[in-house]
Amino acid sequence: MKSVARRMEESLAHGPIHFTLIDPDKTRGRSAGELAREAERFGSFAILLGGSTGITPEKMADATRSVHRESTLPVIIFPQGPESLTGEADALLFMSLLNSRNVTHVIRLQARAARHVKKLGLEPIPVGYLIIAPGMKVGEVGEADCIDRSDHSAAVGYALAAQFLGMRLVYAEAGSGAPAPVPGPMIRDLKQALSIPLMVGGGIRTASDASSVLEAGADAIVTGTVVEEDGKEALEPILGEVRRRRGG
Ligand code: 1GP
């Protein structure tokens, strides 16, 4: 079986990709699988599994099994801490929150989790995680010095540092439920500077949001809240923008 990172690389060669974020505390049991089935039908690349509260390894394992039953999409853990880990998943974003004030989120949690990740046989995908204002809940929990929406040079500095440290992806995040996505001009500058893929999430709710983020140069987009608020059908127009850029 090819690694998830390899499959991602191959898929990115055909154009941008989409991740469907599922919070296993809010989308329980069978609903996680049903959502994954729709996400796959619309062309999403993978399920990102994570949430900021109420996460347990059991909920993560249940949701993963449900997704695997209903779809062939890989399940990638989007971790909030050691309680997010389950050996049922295919991979995890092994992230460092680069603009946190607290070294715990930069490297200590990762050091605590690393041996467990190895024991579970999870594929770690090294990610430089950057929180852009307003940052929402994850900005608070991660004690981030949120990058100002107009401070492109700070964003580019962190992103390039991630690349130079050997990370495989940069994830620029406005925070789940943000009123607006990461600004287009910042995405443009990030994309221009980087030679590793750029993932963008937070506040993408409509086809037009997706279109501007993709137009600015995002290689991958993440959506979560829109499905919780508007249902699975809300993915269709967003994925339509992704498919259009993949030539289908
Ligand atoms: C999670 O930012 C993403 O990292 C998802 O954001 O919930 O706003 O889609 P939304």
Side-chain angles (χ1 to χ4, degrees):
M1 187 66 155
K2 274 183 204 164
S3 71
V4 175
R6 179 91 192 115
R7 279 149 76 187
M8 185 153 64
E9 216 171 89
E10 288 177 0
S11 191
L12 282 167
H14 300 282
I17 58 174
H18 173 267
F19 291 87
T20 302
L21 177 69
I22 297 182
D23 179 337
D25 189 45
K26 295 185 185 148
T27 307
R28 298 265 182 107
R30 201 180 295 171
S31 337
E34 283 162 8
L35 171 51
R37 198 174 56 216
E38 288 301 277
E40 181 164 33
R41 192 161 72 84
F42 296 137
S44 194
F45 170 75
I47 300 300
L48 277 189
L49 199 62
S52 31
T53 52
I55 300 300
T56 64
E58 293 71 31
K59 282 181 201 163
M60 293 292 285
D62 277 356
T64 304
R65 280 193 288 266
S66 168
V67 170
H68 282 158
R69 262 196 308 273
E70 299 292 332
S71 78
T72 65
L73 297 184
V75 173
I76 306 174
I77 298 172
F78 179 50
Q80 268 59 46
E83 65 285 355
S84 303
L85 300 182
T86 167
E88 304 277 334
D90 302 289
L92 97 147
L93 299 185
F94 200 80
M95 311 190 299
S96 172
L97 205 181
L98 298 174
N99 59 323
S100 176
R101 289 183 297 280
N102 187 340
V103 72
T104 298
H105 301 287
V106 181
I107 193 62
R108 277 195 190 135
L109 283 172
Q110 295 80 344
R112 268 182 232 146
R115 285 189 306 163
H116 196 38
V117 169
K118 190 171 164 70
K119 200 154 84 196
L120 291 172
L122 280 166
E123 176 193 337
I125 303 174
V127 176
Y129 190 35
L130 291 187
I131 302 194
I132 316 297
M136 313 302 283
K137 185 87 185 160
V138 73
E140 272 170 46
V141 175
E143 296 167 74
D145 269 338
C146 291
I147 297 173
D148 193 277
R149 294 172 70 80
S150 60
D151 195 351
H152 300 193
S153 70
V156 169
Y158 277 114
L160 268 184
Q163 177 178 317
F164 296 163
L165 283 164
M167 288 162 178
R168 298 281 291 270
L169 271 179
V170 166
Y171 184 7
E173 150 100 277
S176 187
V182 175
M186 178 181 275
I187 296 173
R188 213 160 274 128
D189 282 357
L190 284 168
K191 180 63 187 166
Q192 205 169 23
L194 288 171
S195 56
I196 55 174
L198 173 65
M199 188 166 159
V200 175
I204 302 173
R205 287 189 172 81
T206 61
S208 141
D209 292 337
S211 173
S212 21
V213 165
L214 292 166
E215 215 45 56
D219 299 291
I221 58 171
V222 183
T223 62
T225 303
V226 70
V227 168
E228 284 162 22
E229 288 179 356
D230 304 340
K232 300 194 266 290
E233 304 67 36
L235 281 181
E236 214 285 320
I238 292 172
L239 262 303
E241 291 299 320
V242 174
R243 286 197 309 271
R244 204 154 62 76
R245 288 167 176 80
R246 294 176 65 81

